[in-house]
Amino acid sequence: IKRKIIAVKDITYTDEFGLHHLVDASQDVLAKEAIAEEKEILQEFFETLAKNRKMVEYGYKNVKKALEYGAASKLLISEAEDDKIMDELEELADQSNTETFILSTQTQEGQQLRDLGKVAAILRFPLY
């Protein structure tokens, strides 16, 4: 259980107001957790890219094709991507049980994703 506890915060109320206070007081901890998760998924993408290029795709056209074929297991979308494209890719991902991650550009890895074309996918199987 200790591994699941990410922080301990004191609150003065035990009702709904106290819960809201707890969430507000925990923003710093929650933000760090989100950034850590983003870094982890992007690290997985870049490691897979380095080890086996056929198991990743990046750029809109390639990622869309992977989603249409059901080949993508994880979809990575930069928050810098256009909302219309985000919605389209998320809909395709839902149809093929693909996990979707919307990633910030606040980390170095997130900036690299943005520079690679704003979208990427880790594949279940290679397309070629």
Coordinates of all heavy atoms in Angstrom, one line a residue, residues 51-94:
K51 N 15.1 0.6 -31.2 CA 15.3 -0.8 -31.2 C 14.7 -1.5 -32.4 O 15.3 -2.4 -33.0 CB 14.8 -1.5 -30.0 CG 15.5 -1.2 -28.7 CD 14.9 -1.9 -27.5 CE 15.7 -1.5 -26.2 NZ 15.0 -2.1 -25.1
N52 N 13.4 -1.1 -32.8 CA 12.7 -1.8 -33.9 C 11.8 -0.8 -34.6 O 10.6 -0.6 -34.2 CB 11.9 -3.0 -33.3 CG 11.3 -3.8 -34.4 OD1 11.4 -3.5 -35.6 ND2 10.7 -4.9 -34.1
R53 N 12.3 -0.1 -35.5 CA 11.6 1.0 -36.2 C 10.3 0.6 -36.8 O 9.3 1.3 -36.9 CB 12.5 1.6 -37.4 CG 11.9 2.5 -38.4 CD 11.4 3.7 -37.7 NE 10.6 4.6 -38.6 CZ 9.3 4.5 -38.8 NH1 8.6 3.7 -38.2 NH2 8.8 5.4 -39.7
K54 N 10.1 -0.7 -37.1 CA 8.9 -1.2 -37.7 C 7.7 -1.3 -36.7 O 6.6 -1.5 -37.1 CB 9.1 -2.6 -38.3 CG 10.0 -2.6 -39.6 CD 10.1 -3.9 -40.2 CE 10.9 -3.9 -41.4 NZ 11.0 -5.2 -42.1
M55 N 8.0 -1.1 -35.4 CA 7.0 -1.2 -34.4 C 6.5 0.1 -33.9 O 5.7 0.2 -33.0 CB 7.5 -2.0 -33.2 CG 7.8 -3.5 -33.5 SD 6.3 -4.3 -34.2 CE 5.2 -4.3 -32.8
V56 N 6.8 1.2 -34.7 CA 6.3 2.5 -34.4 C 6.0 3.2 -35.7 O 6.5 2.9 -36.7 CB 7.3 3.4 -33.5 CG1 7.5 2.8 -32.2 CG2 8.5 3.7 -34.3
E57 N 5.1 4.2 -35.6 CA 4.8 5.1 -36.7 C 4.6 6.5 -36.1 O 4.3 6.6 -35.0 CB 3.4 4.7 -37.4 CG 3.5 3.4 -38.2 CD 4.5 3.5 -39.4 OE1 4.8 4.6 -39.8 OE2 4.9 2.4 -39.9
Y58 N 4.9 7.4 -36.9 CA 4.7 8.8 -36.5 C 4.4 9.7 -37.8 O 4.6 9.3 -38.9 CB 5.9 9.4 -35.8 CG 7.3 9.3 -36.5 CD1 7.7 10.3 -37.4 CD2 8.1 8.2 -36.4 CE1 8.9 10.2 -38.1 CE2 9.3 8.1 -37.0 CZ 9.7 9.1 -37.9 OH 10.9 9.0 -38.6
G59 N 3.7 10.8 -37.5 CA 3.2 11.6 -38.6 C 1.8 11.2 -38.8 O 1.4 10.1 -38.7
Y60 N 1.0 12.2 -39.2 CA -0.5 12.0 -39.3 C -0.8 10.8 -40.3 O -1.6 10.0 -39.9 CB -1.1 13.3 -39.8 CG -2.6 13.2 -40.2 CD1 -3.5 13.0 -39.2 CD2 -3.0 13.1 -41.5 CE1 -4.9 12.9 -39.5 CE2 -4.3 13.0 -41.8 CZ -5.2 12.8 -40.9 OH -6.6 12.7 -41.2
K61 N -0.3 10.8 -41.5 CA -0.7 9.8 -42.5 C -0.4 8.4 -42.0 O -1.2 7.5 -42.1 CB -0.1 10.1 -43.8 CG -0.7 11.3 -44.6 CD 0.0 11.5 -45.9 CE -0.6 12.7 -46.6 NZ 0.1 12.9 -47.9
N62 N 0.8 8.2 -41.5 CA 1.3 6.9 -41.1 C 0.5 6.4 -39.9 O 0.1 5.2 -39.8 CB 2.8 6.9 -40.8 CG 3.6 7.2 -42.0 OD1 3.2 7.0 -43.1 ND2 4.8 7.6 -41.8
V63 N 0.3 7.3 -38.9 CA -0.5 6.9 -37.7 C -1.9 6.6 -38.0 O -2.5 5.6 -37.5 CB -0.3 8.0 -36.6 CG1 -1.3 7.8 -35.5 CG2 1.1 8.1 -36.1
K64 N -2.5 7.4 -38.9 CA -3.9 7.2 -39.3 C -4.0 5.8 -40.0 O -4.9 5.0 -39.7 CB -4.4 8.3 -40.2 CG -5.8 8.1 -40.6 CD -6.3 9.2 -41.6 CE -7.8 8.9 -42.0 NZ -8.2 9.9 -43.0
K65 N -3.1 5.5 -40.8 CA -3.1 4.2 -41.5 C -3.0 3.0 -40.5 O -3.7 2.0 -40.5 CB -1.9 4.1 -42.5 CG -1.8 2.8 -43.3 CD -0.7 2.9 -44.3 CE -0.5 1.6 -45.0 NZ 0.6 1.7 -46.0
A66 N -2.1 3.2 -39.5 CA -1.9 2.2 -38.4 C -3.2 2.0 -37.6 O -3.6 0.9 -37.3 CB -0.7 2.6 -37.5
L67 N -3.9 3.1 -37.4 CA -5.1 3.0 -36.6 C -6.2 2.3 -37.5 O -7.0 1.5 -37.0 CB -5.6 4.4 -36.2 CG -4.8 5.1 -35.1 CD1 -5.2 6.5 -35.0 CD2 -5.0 4.3 -33.8
E68 N -6.3 2.6 -38.7 CA -7.3 2.0 -39.6 C -7.1 0.5 -39.8 O -8.0 -0.2 -39.9 CB -7.2 2.7 -41.0 CG -7.8 4.1 -41.0 CD -7.5 4.9 -42.3 OE1 -6.7 4.4 -43.1 OE2 -8.2 5.9 -42.5
Y69 N -5.8 0.1 -39.7 CA -5.5 -1.3 -39.8 C -5.6 -2.1 -38.5 O -5.4 -3.3 -38.4 CB -4.1 -1.5 -40.4 CG -4.0 -1.3 -41.9 CD1 -4.9 -0.5 -42.6 CD2 -2.9 -1.9 -42.6 CE1 -4.7 -0.3 -43.9 CE2 -2.8 -1.7 -43.9 CZ -3.7 -0.8 -44.6 OH -3.6 -0.6 -46.0
G70 N -5.8 -1.3 -37.4 CA -5.9 -1.9 -36.1 C -4.5 -2.3 -35.5 O -4.4 -3.1 -34.6
A71 N -3.5 -1.7 -36.1 CA -2.1 -2.1 -35.7 C -1.6 -1.3 -34.5 O -0.6 -1.7 -33.9 CB -1.2 -1.9 -36.9
A72 N -2.2 -0.2 -34.2 CA -1.7 0.6 -33.1 C -2.2 0.2 -31.7 O -3.4 0.0 -31.5 CB -2.1 2.1 -33.3
S73 N -1.3 0.0 -30.8 CA -1.7 -0.4 -29.4 C -1.8 0.9 -28.6 O -2.6 1.0 -27.7 CB -0.7 -1.4 -28.8 OG 0.5 -0.8 -28.6
K74 N -0.9 1.9 -28.9 CA -0.9 3.2 -28.1 C -0.8 4.3 -29.1 O 0.1 4.3 -30.0 CB 0.3 3.2 -27.1 CG 0.1 2.1 -26.1 CD 1.3 2.1 -25.1 CE 1.2 1.0 -24.1 NZ 2.3 0.9 -23.2
L75 N -1.7 5.3 -28.9 CA -1.7 6.5 -29.7 C -1.2 7.6 -28.9 O -1.7 7.9 -27.8 CB -3.1 6.8 -30.2 CG -3.3 8.1 -30.9 CD1 -2.5 8.2 -32.2 CD2 -4.8 8.3 -31.2
L76 N -0.2 8.4 -29.4 CA 0.3 9.5 -28.7 C 0.0 10.7 -29.5 O 0.4 10.8 -30.7 CB 1.9 9.4 -28.5 CG 2.4 8.3 -27.6 CD1 2.0 6.9 -28.0 CD2 3.9 8.4 -27.5
I77 N -0.6 11.7 -28.9 CA -1.0 12.9 -29.6 C -0.5 14.1 -28.8 O -0.7 14.2 -27.6 CB -2.5 13.1 -29.7 CG1 -3.1 11.9 -30.4 CG2 -2.9 14.4 -30.5 CD1 -4.7 11.9 -30.5
S78 N 0.2 15.0 -29.4 CA 0.7 16.2 -28.8 C -0.4 17.2 -28.6 O -1.3 17.3 -29.4 CB 1.8 16.9 -29.7 OG 2.1 18.2 -29.2
E79 N -0.4 17.9 -27.4 CA -1.4 18.9 -27.2 C -1.4 20.0 -28.2 O -2.3 20.8 -28.3 CB -1.3 19.4 -25.8 CG 0.0 20.3 -25.5 CD 0.1 20.8 -24.1 OE1 -0.7 20.5 -23.3 OE2 1.1 21.5 -23.9
A80 N -0.3 20.1 -28.9 CA -0.1 21.1 -30.0 C -0.9 20.8 -31.3 O -1.0 21.6 -32.2 CB 1.3 21.3 -30.3
E81 N -1.4 19.6 -31.3 CA -2.1 19.1 -32.5 C -3.5 19.8 -32.6 O -4.1 20.2 -31.7 CB -2.3 17.6 -32.5 CG -3.0 17.0 -33.7 CD -2.2 17.3 -35.0 OE1 -2.5 18.3 -35.7 OE2 -1.3 16.5 -35.4
D82 N -4.0 20.0 -33.9 CA -5.2 20.6 -34.2 C -6.4 19.7 -33.6 O -6.3 18.5 -33.6 CB -5.4 20.6 -35.7 CG -6.7 21.2 -36.1 OD1 -6.9 22.4 -35.9 OD2 -7.6 20.5 -36.7
D83 N -7.4 20.4 -33.0 CA -8.5 19.6 -32.3 C -9.2 18.7 -33.3 O -9.6 17.6 -32.9 CB -9.5 20.6 -31.7 CG -8.9 21.3 -30.5 OD1 -7.9 20.8 -29.9 OD2 -9.4 22.4 -30.1
K84 N -9.4 19.1 -34.5 CA -10.1 18.3 -35.5 C -9.4 17.0 -35.7 O -10.0 15.9 -35.8 CB -10.3 19.1 -36.8 CG -11.2 18.4 -37.8 CD -11.3 19.2 -39.0 CE -12.1 18.5 -40.1 NZ -12.2 19.2 -41.3
I85 N -8.1 17.1 -35.9 CA -7.3 15.9 -36.1 C -7.2 15.0 -34.9 O -7.3 13.8 -35.0 CB -5.8 16.3 -36.6 CG1 -5.9 16.9 -38.0 CG2 -4.9 15.1 -36.5 CD1 -4.6 17.5 -38.4
M86 N -7.1 15.6 -33.7 CA -7.2 14.9 -32.4 C -8.5 14.1 -32.4 O -8.4 12.9 -32.0 CB -7.1 15.9 -31.2 CG -5.8 16.1 -30.7 SD -6.1 17.0 -29.1 CE -4.6 17.8 -28.9
D87 N -9.6 14.7 -32.6 CA -10.9 14.0 -32.5 C -11.0 12.9 -33.5 O -11.4 11.8 -33.2 CB -12.0 15.0 -32.8 CG -12.2 16.0 -31.7 OD1 -11.7 15.8 -30.6 OD2 -12.8 17.1 -31.9
E88 N -10.5 13.1 -34.7 CA -10.5 12.0 -35.8 C -9.7 10.8 -35.3 O -10.1 9.7 -35.4 CB -10.0 12.6 -37.1 CG -9.9 11.6 -38.2 CD -9.2 12.1 -39.4 OE1 -8.6 13.2 -39.4 OE2 -9.1 11.3 -40.4
L89 N -8.5 11.1 -34.9 CA -7.6 10.0 -34.5 C -8.1 9.3 -33.2 O -8.0 8.0 -33.1 CB -6.1 10.5 -34.3 CG -5.4 11.0 -35.5 CD1 -4.1 11.6 -35.2 CD2 -5.4 10.0 -36.6
E90 N -8.6 10.0 -32.3 CA -9.2 9.4 -31.1 C -10.4 8.5 -31.4 O -10.5 7.4 -30.8 CB -9.6 10.5 -30.0 CG -8.4 11.1 -29.3 CD -8.9 12.1 -28.3 OE1 -9.4 13.2 -28.7 OE2 -8.8 11.8 -27.1
E91 N -11.2 8.9 -32.4 CA -12.3 8.1 -32.8 C -11.8 6.8 -33.4 O -12.3 5.7 -33.1 CB -13.2 8.9 -33.8 CG -14.5 8.2 -34.1 CD -15.4 9.0 -35.0 OE1 -15.6 10.2 -34.7 OE2 -15.8 8.4 -36.0
L92 N -10.8 6.9 -34.3 CA -10.2 5.7 -34.9 C -9.6 4.8 -33.8 O -9.7 3.5 -33.8 CB -9.2 6.0 -35.9 CG -9.7 6.6 -37.2 CD1 -8.5 7.1 -38.1 CD2 -10.4 5.5 -38.0
A93 N -9.0 5.4 -32.8 CA -8.3 4.6 -31.7 C -9.4 3.9 -30.9 O -9.2 2.7 -30.5 CB -7.5 5.6 -30.8
D94 N -10.5 4.5 -30.6 CA -11.6 3.9 -29.9 C -12.1 2.6 -30.6 O -12.5 1.6 -30.0 CB -12.7 4.9 -29.6 CG -12.4 5.9 -28.6 OD1 -11.5 5.7 -27.8 OD2 -13.1 6.9 -28.6

